[in-house]
Amino acid sequence: MSASSFSRRQFIRRAALTAIGFPFASSLAARAAASEPRKLGFALVGLGSLSRGQLAPALQQTQFCRLAAIVTGTPSKIPVWKNRYNIPDKNVYNYDTMEQMADNPDIDVVYVVTPNGLHGEHTIKAAKAGKHVFCEKPMEATVEKCQRMIDAAKKAGRMLGVGYRCQFDPNHLECRRLAKEKVFGELKTIEAGFSRGISANEWRLNKTLAGGGPLMDVGIYALQTCRFVSGEEPVEVTASFGPVTDPEKFKEVEESVEWEMTFPSGLKTKCRTNYERNDANSFMVTAEKGTFGLNPAYGYNGGRGMRSDGQPIQLPAINQFAAEMDDFAQCILNNKPTKVPGEEGLRDVKIMMAIYESARIGKPVKLV
Ligand code: NAD
């Protein structure tokens, strides 16, 4: 709901109560208005698997957001979405009409859920239309495009966030707490991996649309864990590509990659990812006095894990997508910075480019 439609509705309600002679009507209405949170209108850009299966349902569970609009290049999807989510015709756009959102006060935030290599184009269009932008991971296919997105949001005076859902998950946050409070002493190593199988003909196998292979898609979660849990930034990466078992499928992007990172404290991390099978979905942290980690770690329902002192890490699952969107909305409403800004997405893309570079040249690459 936009600010203007909210206040209009409250005004009409208050006027009606006063008109029927209800004593204290206006003060009751004012109190109700104060307790009802303002919901920001979200537009989903790209109505594929994530939007359909996770984001639209999650929006129904949020406190500060609502699904206000859709952007799609596939007209046949429109009737189902309109009916299911009560979206008026005026809030339906395609990729070429997105700029017209500038005239639509129903939309506060544009959530970009298209293939990675289109995030920049759609983010910049939304920012130019004066909207805040939340963008799926990975932020874009190249460092330059990430920077252009940050610049566009800054120029428009709007907030830009990246969909790092695990940063809102209670069990990931618990692992970060264990590291930060040095419950098991200084961190020594982290091993992390995330992989999945993939079918032919997916845009994820097209370098222009995906930016890269499993590293950009799911390996990024292992990379995020190393940075998020340790609170440090890597200074060097060493990587190698695995053998290509299906040259037809993996013509443009890697089939698998492993990489190691060194951090300023001396922490060493070892990560892996592949598009062959779902055989990795965990991380394990080894510290001076014990270990902790999650297995599984990266599912939509959150992770569950164990500490070497026998205590479980098993906080109740939340809807990570609802949590990240509510947090972004609250940052906008309270004029606070998001903890997942464009700069965070850019940092990961820079590191992933260094991982590719190291795998290509067969040598360590320093990060500045
Ligand atoms: P998908 O293929 O299911 O959906 C992509 C959508 O983009 C489709 O509706 C498609 O029609 C549209 N599209 C527009 N232009 C296109 C083009 N030129 N080629 C192909 N599709 C085009 O993909 P998805 O799984 O929904 O992923 C979308 C984004 O969300 C990706 O950036 C992905 O990394 C991210 N994602 C994030 C998570 C998470 O857990 N945060 C999970 C899945 C996907």
Side-chain angles (χ1 to χ4, degrees):
M1 186 186 301
S2 70
S4 56
S5 62
F6 178 79
S7 54
R8 203 164 45 241
R9 197 132 99 199
Q10 291 305 318
F11 174 78
I12 292 166
R13 194 161 134 214
R14 190 181 304 188
L17 285 168
T18 309
I20 59 169
F22 190 87
F24 316 117
S26 58
S27 68
L28 278 178
R31 238 179 286 154
S35 61
E36 262 178 56
R38 175 163 119 71
K39 292 195 162 206
L40 297 190
F42 273 58
L44 287 177
V45 183
L47 306 180
S49 163
L50 187 70
S51 287
R52 189 179 58 247
Q54 270 69 45
L55 301 180
L59 275 160
Q60 314 309 309
Q61 295 183 29
T62 54
Q63 215 185 331
F64 302 102
C65 320
R66 67 184 189 98
L67 177 53
I70 50 174
V71 181
T72 179
T74 315
S76 60
K77 291 181 184 169
I78 295 170
V80 177
W81 278 78
K82 275 187 58 189
N83 291 340
R84 185 168 301 158
Y85 296 109
N86 207 13
I87 295 166
D89 278 327
K90 71 177 183 64
N91 291 2
V92 177
Y93 296 85
N94 63 48
Y95 303 114
D96 297 325
T97 60
M98 280 181 69
E99 275 106 334
Q100 294 168 19
M101 286 181 179
D103 304 322
N104 192 335
D106 282 356
I107 302 168
D108 301 286
V109 180
V110 172
Y111 194 153
V112 176
V113 205
T114 44
N116 313 340
L118 300 174
H119 290 176
E121 178 188 331
H122 297 145
T123 294
I124 291 168
K125 280 186 179 177
K128 280 189 177 159
K131 305 302 176 185
H132 302 282
V133 186
F134 202 68
C135 175
E136 258 314 321
K137 48 55 58 181
M139 187 169 166
E140 243 292 354
T142 68
V143 168
E144 295 70 28
K145 284 166 102 182
C146 293
Q147 190 58 57
R148 267 182 249 144
M149 293 159 76
I150 292 170
D151 294 345
K154 270 210 183 105
K155 191 169 171 202
R158 293 294 178 262
M159 207 173 275
L160 172 60
V162 180
Y164 287 124
R165 59 183 168 80
C166 292
Q167 292 207 20
F168 299 88
D169 183 83
N171 290 307
H172 284 262
L173 286 161
E174 173 62 3
C175 290
R176 183 176 160 98
R177 182 190 73 78
L178 294 173
K180 201 169 174 191
E181 294 178 7
K182 302 194 194 313
V183 174
F184 293 96
E186 296 291 341
L187 305 194
K188 295 291 171 198
T189 64
I190 301 177
E191 286 199 33
F194 196 21
S195 71
R196 54 172 283 192
I198 193 163
S199 47
N201 305 324
E202 277 212 43
W203 61 260
R204 287 176 167 85
L205 296 169
N206 173 312
K207 182 139 192 325
T208 312
L209 285 175
L215 175 62
M216 302 287 283
D217 189 21
V218 285
I220 189 172
Y221 287 89
L223 166 59
Q224 266 278 306
T225 289
C226 298
R227 296 181 50 234
F228 182 65
V229 171
S230 71
E232 291 189 60
E233 295 301 333
V235 289
E236 188 177 280
V237 299
T238 308
S240 59
F241 294 125
V244 180
T245 63
D246 189 339
E248 188 50 36
K249 212 178 191 181
F250 297 102
K251 276 195 300 249
E252 298 192 23
V253 302
E254 80 280 3
E255 182 173 330
S256 65
V257 60
E258 296 187 353
W259 72 100
E260 295 184 8
M261 297 185 286
T262 306
F263 290 75
S265 66
L267 168 71
K268 303 256 186 213
T269 67
K270 204 171 169 184
C271 302
R272 71 185 183 97
T273 185
N274 70 68
Y275 263 162
E276 291 148 359
R277 64 193 80 84
N278 304 345
D279 66 353
N281 181 357
S282 67
F283 67 84
M284 175 62 74
V285 181
T286 302
E288 288 168 310
K289 296 181 283 179
T291 61
F292 58 93
L294 301 181
N295 186 1
Y298 305 116
Y300 294 150
N301 298 322
R304 58 172 41 211
M306 203 50 128
R307 308 164 31 153
S308 55
D309 58 6
Q311 289 193 45
I313 302 175
Q314 207 176 328
L315 292 161
I318 60 157
N319 185 317
Q320 300 168 342
F321 295 103
E324 68 177 12
M325 288 189 276
D326 261 344
D327 183 80
F328 194 62
Q330 279 178 287
C331 289
I332 293 167
L333 290 167
N334 302 320
N335 204 18
K336 278 189 346 209
T338 165
K339 70 172 177 176
V340 288
E343 287 77 2
E344 173 78 354
L346 168 64
R347 212 165 293 139
D348 275 345
V349 174
K350 268 188 186 159
I351 298 167
M352 291 191 290
M353 292 305 139
I355 291 169
Y356 283 138
E357 172 71 0
S358 170
R360 220 168 11 242
I361 64 175
K363 287 185 193 156
V365 169
K366 296 234 179 287
L367 288 154
V368 280

